[in-house]
Amino acid sequence: MREKLEAKKKVMERMSMCSKLAKEDAKMQQEQLSDEVRSLLLAGTALSVARKRLQESNRLLAGEKGYVSLRNLQKRLRMRQQYMISQVSLLYPVKISIGPAQEQELELFPSSSKSGSSSGSKPVNQGSLTILGLHLTLLPFKKMSFFSDKREVQRSATALGYVAHAASLIASYLKVPLRYPLRLGASHSFIIDCAPSIEPTSSDPSSSTELLTSMKHVEFPLFLEGQDITRAAYAAFLLNKDLEQLLNFIGVRSLGPRHLLANLKELVRTIQSSEYKDT
């Protein structure tokens, strides 16, 4: 009986130890649960505050000083843009010259992709477009020689200078940074192509695989006098890409790379339309 009693005492001691360990574990879990409950209460309070702020914001947005005010402000801004760009159209009017002359607009890179041109768009056939009375013709770029008509070359350079200045003004009014910046100089303007330049980081031929890429600014002339014909044609191509960027900004597709003046005319026409003010 004494042995049985000792065995029962040992069983009771083990059970007491297990009970003590279980109690400590339960206490630890209770403390963790209390921390989680406090965190949940704090999160609930923060969520309630955020919900109230959201409701207040929705109320203000739906009120007269909210979305309606924003739309009115946007409408006034676009009306202001329309007025300022109408002044540009008065400075540099693009019109159709109807007459015996069959000169077409400056044709740039005939093999260029037409993915940006809208379907069914055709060049104006009632006459050639002019800017401030000057034609932008293909003649100087195709038949440039020592005996070429220097006045025709100068007129084309002046017309390109007009287009460049008009594009620069419109971009500033629309707050659009042009992809190809312009350096204005009237009939001797330049356009800048920020092309990446890749150079070796070391003169050691063994390290030629390690290349440093930086942006190199290259200027291309928007005139032919004393310049390479290819560089001047590429400059006009980049200028048309700037006009295409502005057209895309207002949600209009470009007429293509061959229609420099037509793209400028379409840009001004779209901005001055009533739909632009209400979009």
Side-chain angles (χ1 to χ4, degrees), residues 88 162-172 178 182 239 242-243 246 264 267:
V88 176
Y162 290 160
V163 175
H165 191 205
S168 178
L169 290 174
I170 294 173
S172 65
L178 291 176
L182 293 160
L239 179 58
D242 280 344
L243 292 175
L246 295 172
L264 178 60
L267 176 64

Side-chain angles (χ1 to χ4, degrees), residues 4-262:
K4 290 181 180 180
L5 181 60
E6 290 296 332
K8 289 181 179 181
K9 285 182 179 181
K10 291 180 180 180
V11 172
M12 292 295 295
E13 288 176 358
R14 286 196 297 269
M15 292 178 65
S16 177
M17 183 64 65
C18 291
S19 176
K20 185 177 180 181
L21 292 174
K23 186 182 295 184
E24 291 177 355
D25 186 54
K27 186 176 180 181
M28 291 178 61
Q29 291 183 1
Q30 185 178 5
E31 291 176 354
Q32 292 178 358
L33 183 60
S34 298
D35 293 339
E36 292 177 358
V37 169
R38 282 195 294 270
S39 299
L40 186 60
L41 290 175
L42 291 175
T45 302
L47 181 61
S48 178
V49 173
R51 184 182 292 111
K52 290 181 180 179
R53 290 178 179 176
L54 180 61
Q55 292 174 352
E56 182 67 17
S57 299
N58 289 335
R59 186 181 64 82
L60 293 175
L61 186 61
E64 294 182 356
K65 295 183 179 180
Y67 180 73
V68 176
S69 177
L70 178 62
R71 289 291 298 175
N72 291 335
L73 182 62
Q74 185 180 27
K75 189 173 182 179
R76 289 198 299 270
L77 174 62
R78 298 210 167 192
M79 290 175 63
R80 181 61 177 171
Q81 289 175 341
Q82 285 182 326
Y83 172 75
M84 297 172 75
I85 292 174
S86 69
Q87 301 303 304
V88 176
S89 67
L90 291 177
L91 287 173
Y92 302 112
V94 179
K95 297 180 180 180
I96 298 173
S97 176
I98 301 177
Q102 297 298 322
E103 296 173 337
Q104 295 297 319
E105 260 192 285
L106 178 66
E107 184 174 359
L108 305 175
F109 299 92
S111 60
S112 300
S113 172
K114 299 181 181 180
S115 59
S117 62
S118 57
S119 60
S121 61
K122 297 180 179 179
V124 178
N125 56 9
Q126 295 91 342
S128 58
L129 289 172
T130 62
I131 179 168
L132 206 60
L134 294 178
H135 291 278
L136 189 56
T137 64
L138 181 63
L139 180 62
F141 284 81
K142 283 292 185 182
K143 299 181 179 180
M144 182 66 180
S145 67
F146 181 78
F147 299 100
S148 298
D149 187 352
K150 299 301 187 294
R151 290 177 298 178
E152 185 69 21
V153 173
Q154 182 62 33
R155 283 195 290 266
S156 291
T158 303
L160 284 173
Y162 290 160
V163 175
H165 191 205
S168 178
L169 290 174
I170 294 173
S172 65
Y173 298 154
L174 297 180
K175 301 297 182 182
V176 178
L178 291 176
R179 186 176 293 110
Y180 303 104
L182 293 160
R183 184 162 71 83
L184 300 175
S187 61
H188 282 68
S189 300
F190 290 83
I191 191 165
I192 303 171
D193 185 7
C194 303
S197 175
I198 302 179
E199 300 176 355
T201 57
S202 175
S203 59
D204 185 7
S206 62
S207 63
S208 59
T209 56
E210 297 179 3
L211 299 177
L212 177 63
T213 302
S214 60
M215 299 305 293
K216 182 180 180 181
H217 294 191
V218 183
E219 291 189 350
F220 293 91
L222 287 165
F223 56 94
L224 279 173
E225 184 179 354
Q227 301 293 330
D228 180 66
I229 297 176
T230 304
R231 288 174 59 84
Y234 183 65
F237 173 78
L238 294 183
L239 179 58
N240 192 71
K241 297 300 289 184
D242 280 344
L243 292 175
E244 181 179 343
Q245 177 189 358
L246 295 172
L247 284 168
N248 292 337
F249 179 77
I250 61 174
V252 179
R253 299 186 66 182
S254 169
L255 298 176
R258 303 184 182 185
H259 310 299
L260 192 65
L261 290 183

